[in-house]
Amino acid sequence: MPSTPCALCHTSRALIIRPKNHQKLCKTCFLHLFETEIHNTITSNSLFHPGERIAIGASGGKDSTVLASVLKTLNERHNYGLDLHLLSIDEGIKGYRDDSLETVKRNAIQYSMPLSIVGYDELYGWTMDQVVSQIGKKGNCTYCGVFRRQALDRGAARLGIKHVVTGHNADDVAETVMMNLLRGDLPRLSRATSIVTASSASDIKRSKPLKYAYEKEIVLYAHHKGLDYFSTECIYSPEAFRGSARTLIKNLEKVRPSAILDVVRSGEDMAKLVPSEVSNPGGSLANGKDVVVAVDGEADGEGGCGSSNGRASGGEMAAMEQQLRDEEAAKGKETDFTLQGQRHDRSKNTPAQAVRMSKKLPKQQLQKCVQCGYLSSQSVCKACMLLEGLNKNRPKTEIRVSVEEEENSPTLTRRMEGMTVTPSSNVT
């Protein structure tokens, strides 16, 4: 059977079927098309300006690794004029984060980017291993999500950088939309669907250049580009509520490949129905456009470990990676893929008409946390409230004696060294 030609160049053999629209492409065309779509997302939303310093939230996972690679490529190809840095957060999860950070260190060398690492232990006095040992696996992603956002802001502030980019993809945004729909939280949904969010407290904005990129296409790009990334799932994430939304999204994708972008677009349309004073309290302007202000780390979801950064989707991504490796090993075999029926890509939909909301939503008043100065809708931010609960249950007294202190201290042991114990005679 003759091989199927690429749908774009019509000369090379098609090796890839795009999960987004089932288009058959050769390797070269797929890589270029993927990069072009990211470039269009960046330019259409005016994410960057020449000379801007950008911190890439790097975890070593597929999404952040692809983001770093694509930004480096586009920065050189289109002359963005960006100064790119890698910023990693060490949550303190042994057997997971320590290994992934080794991948980030290799990426820093491969992409010639400076790397900065900020740890939970350094910032909060707690590692996630300690948090989980204290509270268990239920709800631990809430702690991690809140801590992680503040850690990224503080790490960027140390570097003097005011713009952080993260590897959140279309699957992640769709999951966040679904989570907030299930919670009935429209104000948070409107903030979560924005491609740019900002924090008035730290003067740092963040953006999601991969917002419209499918997770499966990111895996395909990383594989065919030969990128070095870490693909082990976080040992604490299976208990997260996000997992339920993820399963629902994946089931919808199997029936309708365009479902992920449909959910994302629907979330954006619903966000337009929320009054600006509710969805964007204290909003600011950047490059002449509204920038949504996130509150207490909510905008990127409380999935925490960067759902997009290295976690697998119920083993589906790991299975896909293994399949790609198997196909690579069997290059000599001729294969041909055919589609049954037609697939309709509904990446475009009609803008929703503005309607008056029957229920008045509460207006949030933003202020700085009295303890740490971070932006919050309460006098004490969520991170400080979580830390207060953790510290209340931490043992109050710890006895730590260094070797130097012990040598200079007249302890009871030292005093007894010069004493001689004489056995007494037995009394009959």
Side-chain angles (χ1 to χ4, degrees):
M1 181 181 294
S3 60
T4 304
C6 173
L8 294 182
C9 66
H10 304 291
T11 56
S12 300
R13 177 188 173 188
L15 299 175
I16 301 168
I17 299 180
R18 294 195 69 182
K20 182 182 294 184
N21 55 15
H22 285 189
Q23 189 179 30
K24 299 178 183 179
L25 302 173
C26 67
K27 173 181 174 181
T28 302
C29 288
F30 170 75
L31 295 178
H32 186 267
L33 182 59
F34 183 88
E35 293 165 355
T36 301
E37 289 181 352
I38 304 304
H39 170 66
N40 292 338
T41 299
I42 292 172
T43 54
S44 62
N45 292 278
S46 302
L47 296 186
F48 309 127
H49 60 79
E52 189 175 13
R53 301 180 67 210
I54 304 296
I56 302 173
S59 66
K62 62 185 183 304
D63 299 309
S64 61
T65 301
V66 167
L67 177 61
S69 176
V70 171
L71 284 184
K72 176 178 174 61
T73 299
L74 296 179
N75 192 36
E76 296 171 353
R77 179 184 301 167
H78 299 285
N79 194 26
Y80 288 167
L82 302 178
D83 183 10
L84 301 175
H85 295 252
L86 295 179
L87 175 60
S88 291
I89 305 301
D90 183 4
E91 299 94 340
I93 305 176
K94 291 183 179 179
Y96 169 67
R97 184 55 71 205
D98 47 356
D99 292 338
S100 68
L101 286 177
E102 294 301 317
T103 303
V104 177
K105 293 175 183 177
R106 294 195 300 270
N107 291 155
I109 298 174
Q110 293 161 359
Y111 304 145
S112 301
M113 295 181 187
L115 169 65
S116 178
I117 301 176
V118 180
Y120 281 8
D121 187 28
E122 170 191 359
L123 294 177
Y124 309 115
W126 288 81
T127 65
M128 277 309 299
D129 284 340
Q130 293 172 333
V131 171
V132 172
S133 66
Q134 180 97 348
I135 68 169
K137 290 187 177 182
K138 291 290 186 181
N140 63 84
C141 285
T142 297
Y143 286 80
C144 193
V146 174
F147 291 166
R148 183 179 179 82
R149 180 178 179 87
Q150 288 201 19
L152 280 171
D153 283 353
R154 294 180 183 183
R158 290 182 181 180
L159 298 173
I161 295 177
K162 296 185 178 181
H163 191 171
V164 176
V165 293
T166 59
H168 292 84
N169 56 47
D171 297 56
D172 299 314
V173 178
E175 291 166 9
T176 303
V177 169
M178 196 63 65
M179 289 169 62
N180 288 308
L181 282 177
L182 295 175
R183 290 169 174 159
D185 194 340
L186 284 181
R188 180 173 293 185
L189 180 148
S190 65
R191 290 188 287 269
T193 54
S194 175
I195 195 170
V196 179
T197 55
S199 170
S200 299
S202 60
D203 195 30
I204 294 173
K205 71 173 183 178
R206 64 178 62 201
S207 58
K208 301 184 277 283
L210 302 182
K211 177 182 176 182
Y212 300 110
Y214 273 36
E215 183 178 26
K216 289 181 179 178
E217 295 195 359
I218 289 173
V219 173
L220 287 169
Y221 182 89
H223 172 76
H224 291 288
K225 195 80 171 178
L227 302 183
D228 179 12
Y229 67 95
F230 184 78
S231 58
T232 301
E233 182 180 4
C234 175
I235 59 178
Y236 299 135
S237 66
E239 299 294 333
F241 173 55
R242 179 176 288 271
S244 301
R246 183 184 312 144
T247 300
L248 179 56
I249 292 295
K250 294 303 179 185
N251 290 336
L252 290 173
E253 183 189 12
K254 292 176 183 178
V255 178
R256 181 186 180 88
S258 64
I260 293 177
L261 279 182
D262 289 342
V263 172
V264 173
R265 302 291 187 186
S266 298
E268 292 173 341
D269 288 341
M270 284 185 285
K272 298 175 184 177
L273 305 180
V274 182
S276 59
E277 64 272 14
V278 175
S279 64
N280 190 20
S284 57
L285 290 174
N287 298 327
K289 294 185 177 182
D290 288 330
V291 175
V292 176
V293 177
V295 185
D296 286 350
E298 66 183 28
D300 296 331
E302 294 175 359
C305 48
S307 58
S308 53
N309 299 323
R311 57 112 170 105
S313 300
E316 184 178 0
M317 292 301 107
M320 181 178 179
E321 293 164 4
Q322 182 61 47
Q323 182 182 357
L324 289 171
R325 288 191 290 268
D326 293 342
E327 291 175 356
E328 194 74 20
K331 265 188 175 180
K333 298 181 180 180
E334 293 289 335
T335 56
D336 187 29
F337 297 90
T338 59
L339 296 177
Q340 299 294 331
Q342 296 182 349
R343 301 287 184 176
H344 180 56
D345 182 12
R346 293 185 59 194
S347 58
K348 298 180 180 179
N349 49 9
T350 307
Q353 296 180 350
V355 296
R356 186 180 300 275
M357 300 190 68
S358 59
K359 182 178 179 181
K360 187 175 181 180
L361 298 173
K363 182 177 179 180
Q364 290 183 326
Q365 298 292 335
L366 299 184
Q367 55 188 307
K368 289 187 177 181
C369 171
V370 297
Q371 296 186 16
C372 69
Y374 197 79
L375 186 67
S376 173
S377 57
Q378 305 294 330
S379 58
V380 179
C381 74
K382 197 169 184 179
C384 289
M385 289 170 52
L386 293 174
L387 285 172
E388 182 179 356
L390 289 171
N391 291 328
K392 281 182 179 180
N393 296 322
R394 173 176 271 179
K396 296 296 188 295
T397 305
E398 286 187 281
I399 301 176
R400 295 183 180 178
V401 182
S402 64
V403 176
E404 183 179 356
E405 290 174 340
E406 185 179 356
E407 290 177 350
N408 298 329
S409 176
T411 61
L412 180 61
T413 304
R414 297 289 182 188
R415 293 178 181 177
M416 292 182 66
E417 287 180 353
M419 297 177 61
T420 302
V421 179
T422 304
S424 58
S425 56
N426 294 331
V427 180
T428 56

